[in-house]
């Protein structure tokens, strides 16, 4: 009986597991190739400043144009890159591309680059950032690095030292996706972040959910006392934009203002008709 169950289980799951690991191996091969063939590029999404609805910066978001599969979303290949260690090369590529691109912008906008927690395991991270800035000729104050709280969960002391070393270069540090995961307000005590990004799930739900709204209020309430700027992510409607302004957010990002686009389609100014109130 046990044996039959075991065998059934084996037959049930074995082909799936094997298929899954085959897909994974193939994807790893493809990703390695993508790094060398330039299939990875950065898209840029505007971040809007409250006053005058000016574009103050852009978030750089990686895109993979797979020759057969088409656009592969980052959530499908970043985890694989993290597991295989390819994230170090991928992260350096993203950083270099973004810094070089930002150096060509005439309006002095900042560029925000996402860092994976795995990149903090590389002792050369600070050097890589310094080198990317130097190679691009980009002043450090025009670079923002976005991290998530997971950076503060593992190797906390070492990672805080790394964050401080990055900050000493003159770059700004943002806490991304705030409110999700294990987020707790106490993380804000562990490091002097320049910016908090409210996760888009709260912005999406703020109209219907009192809890979402309460969390947004808790976060914005801190901004004035801690002197941290607050960016709301995922702003899609006029109503969300209006309410978030009332709550005291200083920066906004979302489809209402512009989707992430390739460098050549980036705009320097908002189409005011799109955001007219
Ligand atoms: P994230 O850093 O939180 O980036 C914001 C995500 O929200 C992006 O998804 C963006 O396209 C999406 N978004 C922006 N506005 C709206 C909106 O109004 N509505 C909705 N529904 N979504 C909006 P994307 O580009 O798919 O990236 C997903 C995640 O992948 C990023 O989340 C980030 O964690 C990661 N990622 C992207 N590029 C990089 C990179 O170069 N390096 C690393 N390590 N991670 C990256
Ligand atoms: Mg981000
Ligand atoms: Mg985010
Ligand atoms: Mg996010």
């Amino acid at each position: 009986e046990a044996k039959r169950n075991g065998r059934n289980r084996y037959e049930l799951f074995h082909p799936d597991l094997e298929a899954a690991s085959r897909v994974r191996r193939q994807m790893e091969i493809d990703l390695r190739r993508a790094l060398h063939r330039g299939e990875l590029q950065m898209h840029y999404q505007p971040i809007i400043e409250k006053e005058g609805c000016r574009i103050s910066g852009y978030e750089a978001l990686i895109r993979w144009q797979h020759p057969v599969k088409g656009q592969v979303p980052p959530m499908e290949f970043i985890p694989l890159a993290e597991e295989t260690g390819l994230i170090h090369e991928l992260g350096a590529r993203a950083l270099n591309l973004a810094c070089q691109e930002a150096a060509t912008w005439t309006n002095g906008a900042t560029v925000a680059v996402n860092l994976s927690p795995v990149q903090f395991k590389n002792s050369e991270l600070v050097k890589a950032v310094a080198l990317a800035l130097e190679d691009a000729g980009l002043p450090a104050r025009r670079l923002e690095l976005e991290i998530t709280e997971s950076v503060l969960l593992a190797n906390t002391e070492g990672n805080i030292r790394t964050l401080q070393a990055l900050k000493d270069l003159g770059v700004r540090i943002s806490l991304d996706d705030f409110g999700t995961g294990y987020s707790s307000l106490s993380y804000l005590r562990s490091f002097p972040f320049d910016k908090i990004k409210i996760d888009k799930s709260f912005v999406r739900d703020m109209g219907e959910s009192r809890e979402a709204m309460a969390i947004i209020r808790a976060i914005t309430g801190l901004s004035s006392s801690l002197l941290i700027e607050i960016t709301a992510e995922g702003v899609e409607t006029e109503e969300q934009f209006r309410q978030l302004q009332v709550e005291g957010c200083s920066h906004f990002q979302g489809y209402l203002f512009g989707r992430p686009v390739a460098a050549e389609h980036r705009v320097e100014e908002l189409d005011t008709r799109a955001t007219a109130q």
Side-chain angles (χ1 to χ4, degrees):
E1 180 66 49
K3 198 175 171 190
R4 213 179 72 210
N5 278 347
R7 198 187 161 95
N8 283 347
R9 226 176 285 135
Y10 179 78
E11 281 173 359
L12 252 167
F13 292 123
H14 179 70
D16 282 1
L17 282 176
E18 203 180 76
S21 84
R22 209 180 311 120
V23 166
R24 216 186 89 101
R25 272 198 306 274
Q26 186 56 50
M27 201 163 164
E28 183 182 342
I29 292 166
D30 287 1
L31 191 53
R32 267 179 216 287
R33 198 160 34 201
L35 273 162
H36 297 289
R37 288 194 182 166
E39 293 167 21
L40 298 173
Q41 46 158 217
M42 304 310 282
H43 278 196
Y44 299 89
Q45 182 179 34
I47 298 171
I48 278 59
E49 203 172 61
K50 189 175 182 176
E51 285 82 24
C53 291
R54 198 177 63 88
I55 295 177
S56 62
Y58 300 83
E59 180 170 4
L61 295 155
I62 201 160
R63 295 292 179 261
W64 179 7
Q65 190 62 42
H66 189 285
V68 179
K69 296 193 183 97
Q71 279 244 346
V72 185
M75 291 327 267
E76 280 179 31
F77 65 90
I78 297 283
L80 179 77
E82 290 175 336
E83 284 164 36
T84 56
L86 282 170
I87 193 70
H88 300 293
E89 200 177 335
L90 186 151
R93 180 72 53 86
L95 198 60
N96 284 309
L97 286 171
C99 288
Q100 266 151 30
E101 175 56 29
T104 70
W105 300 343
T106 52
N107 60 355
T110 59
V111 68
V113 178
N114 293 282
L115 287 187
S116 156
V118 178
Q119 289 178 266
F120 282 75
K121 291 189 181 145
N122 183 348
S123 58
E124 305 282 277
L125 177 61
V126 180
K127 252 188 235 165
V129 171
L131 201 64
L133 288 167
E134 197 185 309
D135 282 351
L138 186 73
R141 68 185 144 76
R142 290 186 52 204
L143 176 65
E144 266 175 35
L145 297 173
E146 297 193 358
I147 64 147
T148 55
E149 85 235 349
S150 48
V151 167
L152 303 173
L153 281 172
N155 185 24
T156 309
E157 272 183 39
N159 287 354
I160 286 175
R161 269 198 303 275
T162 303
L163 283 173
Q164 191 56 57
L166 289 168
K167 211 169 154 148
D168 291 344
L169 290 177
V171 307
R172 289 156 49 92
I173 309 290
S174 302
L175 188 53
D176 202 357
D177 301 342
F178 194 71
T180 61
Y182 297 94
S183 277
S184 120
L185 297 179
S186 67
Y187 287 127
L188 301 179
R189 262 184 29 196
S190 57
F191 187 77
F193 290 98
D194 298 290
K195 204 175 219 183
I196 297 172
K197 299 186 78 174
I198 300 178
D199 190 67
K200 57 179 177 289
S201 59
F202 299 104
V203 174
R204 182 194 60 211
D205 297 342
M206 65 188 281
E208 295 86 52
S209 156
R210 291 181 54 188
E211 287 77 11
M213 197 64 220
I215 288 167
I216 290 174
R217 287 212 171 111
I219 299 170
T220 54
L222 287 165
S223 64
S224 45
S225 39
L226 295 179
L227 297 172
I228 301 180
E229 286 179 359
I230 310 282
T231 302
E233 290 188 329
V235 183
E236 296 186 357
T237 69
E238 285 292 345
E239 180 57 17
Q240 289 166 345
F241 178 40
R242 196 193 56 74
Q243 257 190 293
L244 289 161
Q245 278 178 308
V246 170
E247 294 308 326
C249 290
S250 59
H251 293 76
F252 308 87
Q253 180 181 358
Y255 297 163
L256 178 65
F257 308 103
R259 290 183 179 254
V261 292
E264 62 268 31
H265 299 300
R266 186 188 60 93
V267 295
E268 296 235 327
E269 273 171 62
L270 285 181
D271 177 356
T272 46
R273 277 166 310 174
T275 54
Q277 281 179 286

